[in-house]
């Protein structure tokens, strides 16, 4: 059992949906992103998705690409990101943290070394968007063995033939990408998402969380109502990029969380 499993168990018992919030580690600087991160649980965030900056973020739209650039220009690295998690864990041993990014920085660190450091720092799950199921032996299976959930993405183009392959070694939850394309590119449509969530849930007992294209409390409520919860990323990252004060960012996070929890 990981913190992710514990969190979904608690939410299910309470009859609540999960609100997952994404920020980019080190954006616009380490101190600010850590301050936002530390304020998220009190704002209603159930699971924190922490972006690991990378030079070629192929799944990300402009908002998150720019966040990654700011982070890298500020000197953010994988090591500093894990240090950020360690600092967060000094005051919060409960809130799950999912590290989301690309394989290159992990590969460069060395898988065994990275997993040992990530587990020790307090990482609970990984989303690595450029490692397909055919590469599960690279990171997915070693991560599971280390006690870290490996969360897979399903998309509108994941057909019935492909879906079992996507699900076979997934743990923690399934992340359903609500739109075809990059982050922040379009709005999620409940009428399109609902049958896809039902299709996935027919093949797995894992929670299904929907992300991409959710930017308002109303959208968070509508999407969470047809899934086990929702993810908001670009709408939060955009505020950080605009230089909004941390309290203002957290107020918006709280409003979005309120939408999801009202589902």
């Amino acid at each position: 059992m990981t913190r992710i499993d514990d969190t979904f168990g608690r939410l299910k018992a309470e009859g609540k949906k999960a609100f997952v919030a994404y920020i980019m580690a080190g954006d616009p600087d380490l101190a600010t992103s850590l301050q936002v991160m530390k304020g998220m649980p009190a704002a209603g965030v159930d699971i924190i998705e922490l972006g690991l900056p990378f030079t070629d973020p192929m799944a990300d739209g402009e908002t998150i690409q720019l966040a990654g650039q700011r982070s890298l220009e500020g000197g953010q690295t994988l090591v500093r990101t894990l240090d950020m998690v360690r600092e967060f864990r000094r005051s919060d041993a409960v809130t799950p943290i999912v590290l989301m990014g690309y394989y290159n920085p992990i590969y460069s660190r060395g898988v065994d070394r990275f997993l040992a450091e990530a587990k020790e720092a307090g990482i609970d799950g990984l989303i690595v968007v450029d490692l397909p199921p055919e590469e599960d032996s690279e990171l997915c299976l070693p991560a599971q063995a280390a006690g870290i959930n490996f969360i897979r993405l399903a998309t509108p183009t994941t057909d019935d033939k492909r879906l079992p392959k996507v699900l076979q070694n997934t743990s923690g939850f399934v992340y359903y990408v609500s739109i075809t394309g990059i982050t922040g590119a379009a709005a999620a449509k409940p009428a399109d998402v609902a049958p896809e969530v039902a299709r996935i849930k027919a093949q797995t007992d894992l929670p299904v969380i929907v992300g991409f294209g959710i930017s308002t409390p109303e959208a968070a409520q509508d999407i969470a109502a047809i899934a086990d919860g929702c993810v908001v990323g670009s709408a939060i990252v955009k505020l950080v990029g605009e230089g909004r004060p941390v309290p203002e960012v957290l107020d918006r996070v709280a409003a979005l969380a309120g939408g999801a929890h009202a589902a």
Side-chain angles (χ1 to χ4, degrees):
M1 294 286 287
T2 64
R3 291 184 185 93
I4 295 171
D5 301 322
D6 290 343
T7 294
F8 279 112
R10 172 181 58 79
L11 290 169
K12 185 175 182 180
E14 295 173 355
K16 293 173 72 174
K17 301 301 181 75
F19 180 67
V20 184
Y22 172 98
I23 58 167
M24 178 66 71
D27 176 38
D29 54 66
L30 183 58
T32 303
S33 60
L34 182 58
Q35 191 178 356
V36 173
M37 186 181 182
K38 284 184 173 182
M40 282 184 154
V45 175
D46 298 301
I47 298 173
I48 296 171
E49 226 177 81
L50 187 62
L52 179 63
F54 181 53
T55 52
D56 187 22
M58 60 186 180
D60 296 317
E62 182 181 13
T63 297
I64 293 179
Q65 283 190 26
L66 290 172
Q69 289 176 15
R70 290 191 297 267
S71 176
L72 291 169
E73 288 167 1
Q76 191 72 8
T77 62
L78 174 57
V79 171
R80 287 189 176 187
T81 300
L82 293 179
D83 284 342
M84 182 177 169
V85 174
R86 290 185 185 95
E87 179 59 30
F88 177 87
R89 286 284 176 233
R90 291 178 63 177
S91 58
D92 188 321
V94 176
T95 305
I97 299 172
V98 175
L99 192 66
M100 184 172 186
Y102 299 83
Y103 186 43
N104 187 278
I106 296 169
Y107 177 80
S108 297
R109 190 71 176 164
V111 167
D112 292 343
R113 181 182 184 186
F114 164 76
L115 289 174
E117 292 174 343
K119 182 69 175 177
E120 175 270 326
I123 294 291
D124 304 290
L126 299 174
I127 300 175
V128 182
V129 298
D130 55 348
L131 272 183
E134 287 75 14
E135 305 296 336
D136 274 357
S137 60
E138 282 283 325
L139 181 61
C140 173
L141 297 180
Q144 310 266 35
I148 297 174
N149 290 133
F150 198 90
I151 296 144
R152 189 81 68 191
L153 303 181
T155 74
T157 60
T158 306
D159 59 21
D160 289 337
K161 182 178 179 180
R162 180 67 174 170
L163 186 58
K165 187 75 172 176
V166 169
L167 295 175
Q168 69 179 1
N169 290 317
T170 298
S171 65
F173 61 90
V174 180
Y175 188 134
Y176 179 68
V177 176
S178 66
I179 59 173
T180 302
I182 55 177
T183 58
K189 297 179 179 178
D192 295 336
V193 172
E196 292 300 302
V197 170
R199 184 169 68 94
I200 296 167
K201 291 182 76 67
Q203 296 199 37
T204 182
D205 292 329
L206 290 170
V208 179
I209 304 299
V210 178
F212 286 47
I214 303 167
S215 60
T216 67
E218 294 75 20
Q221 181 174 354
D222 290 344
I223 294 297
I226 56 177
D228 295 298
C230 68
V231 185
V232 176
S234 294
I236 299 168
V237 172
K238 183 180 179 182
L239 295 176
V240 174
E242 291 172 351
R244 303 292 182 92
V246 170
E248 184 179 337
V249 174
L250 292 173
D251 283 347
R252 185 60 178 169
V253 170
L256 291 159
H261 291 150

